Amino acid sequence: MAHEEVKLFGMWSSPFVRIVEVALKIKGVQYEYIEEDLQNKSSLLLKYNPVYKKVPVLLHNGKPIAESLVIVEYIDETWKDNPILPQDSFERAQARFWAKLIDDKCMPSLWRVFRSKDNEQEKATEEALENLKILENELTDKRFFGGETIGLVDIAAKITVYWVQVAQEVAGVGIISSQNFPVLFKWIDDLLSCNVLKETMPPKDKLAAFFRTHSKASK
């Protein structure tokens, strides 16, 4: 294959950017990473994502692709080795469904727990636990969301859980534990065998410091 220009515009603390990075590494794609300051967005970011003006943005041979799940599907279709989504049409549709549920429903409800207070936090926690239970039930009798191999849903869910585990330690709010979600915790242990996932996660102490700083700034 001829030389290809692959650039990823991101921000180190964004779980959505990490999802894309994991996909690129699973595929063995060489890429240039460009760190963005979201308080002072670069002209290139605004040029390549004029609609949402946010990361991640993948630039492939001068063509920009935005939104993490859209980018991952593009990566999977462009570089054929080490498939991330299932080949079967029905299973592929199911993977899209669960990945979108994590993106649209699970992650927002979890962040609401850390951004709300008192009665609002109690209500947000109930919603977040309900959504995590949906994931727990889907994983029952499975090693991974896609069966026996790590795929799109595992990548999205693992990164979400990692961020939440750090955030709950900072906030002093218990949501995910081995007692209330034993299946999810077994799944997390199984994912530790994936070096790409381990290498792509930011250090917990750095992420915790980031959460503390932004928590103080929001008060």
Side-chain angles (χ1 to χ4, degrees):
M1 185 178 287
H3 173 73
E4 296 186 280
E5 178 193 47
V6 182
K7 296 181 179 181
L8 176 62
F9 293 82
M11 193 239 183
W12 73 269
S13 64
S14 167
F16 304 103
V17 173
R18 296 292 173 153
I19 289 169
V20 174
E21 283 200 277
V22 169
L24 287 167
K25 289 179 179 180
I26 286 175
K27 292 289 187 174
V29 178
Q30 298 296 312
Y31 65 97
E32 177 186 352
Y33 177 78
I34 300 167
E35 178 73 9
E36 281 286 336
D37 177 359
L38 298 186
Q39 303 303 314
N40 184 26
K41 298 174 184 178
S42 72
S43 58
L44 286 177
L45 177 62
L46 299 177
K47 173 185 175 181
Y48 292 131
N49 192 0
V51 177
Y52 291 113
K53 301 179 176 64
K54 64 182 183 180
V55 294
V57 174
L58 184 77
L59 190 68
H60 181 211
N61 293 334
K63 299 177 180 178
I65 306 98
E67 295 297 290
S68 58
L69 295 182
V70 175
I71 295 171
V72 171
E73 287 212 40
Y74 177 85
I75 291 168
D76 200 41
E77 292 170 2
T78 302
W79 292 278
K80 304 298 183 182
D81 291 343
N82 305 321
I84 294 170
L85 279 90
Q87 300 302 300
D88 178 80
S89 298
F90 175 76
E91 291 178 1
R92 197 176 183 88
Q94 290 296 298
R96 288 191 182 108
F97 170 84
W98 286 103
K100 188 167 177 57
L101 181 137
I102 291 167
D103 208 28
D104 292 349
K105 191 175 176 68
C106 296
M107 193 174 285
S109 70
L110 286 161
W111 292 133
R112 277 195 292 274
V113 174
F114 306 115
R115 292 171 179 165
S116 56
K117 296 180 181 179
D118 302 327
N119 292 337
E120 287 186 4
Q121 188 177 68
E122 185 177 338
K123 183 178 179 181
T125 300
E126 288 177 7
E127 182 184 357
L129 290 172
E130 183 179 323
N131 289 332
L132 287 171
K133 192 63 180 176
I134 292 172
L135 295 181
E136 173 97 349
N137 291 339
E138 176 62 18
L139 261 178
T140 302
D141 299 326
K142 294 180 182 179
R143 186 181 181 194
F144 301 113
F145 280 96
E148 289 301 312
T149 56
I150 295 170
L152 172 63
V153 184
D154 297 286
I155 295 168
K158 165 59 178 173
I159 291 175
T160 299
V161 168
Y162 183 89
W163 257 250
V164 170
Q165 285 178 311
V166 176
Q168 71 180 9
E169 289 178 16
V170 171
V173 178
I175 299 176
I176 301 176
S177 70
S178 57
Q179 287 72 37
N180 54 0
F181 295 107
V183 176
L184 276 175
F185 262 71
K186 172 65 168 59
W187 164 79
I188 290 170
D189 287 341
D190 287 340
L191 281 177
L192 292 177
S193 62
C194 180
N195 288 329
V196 169
L197 276 168
K198 286 191 290 186
E199 293 166 2
T200 310
M201 297 299 103
K204 283 190 174 182
D205 56 348
K206 183 179 179 181
L207 191 58
F210 173 82
F211 285 147
R212 288 190 188 97
T213 300
H214 281 257
S215 176
K216 290 176 182 177
S218 64
K219 290 179 179 178

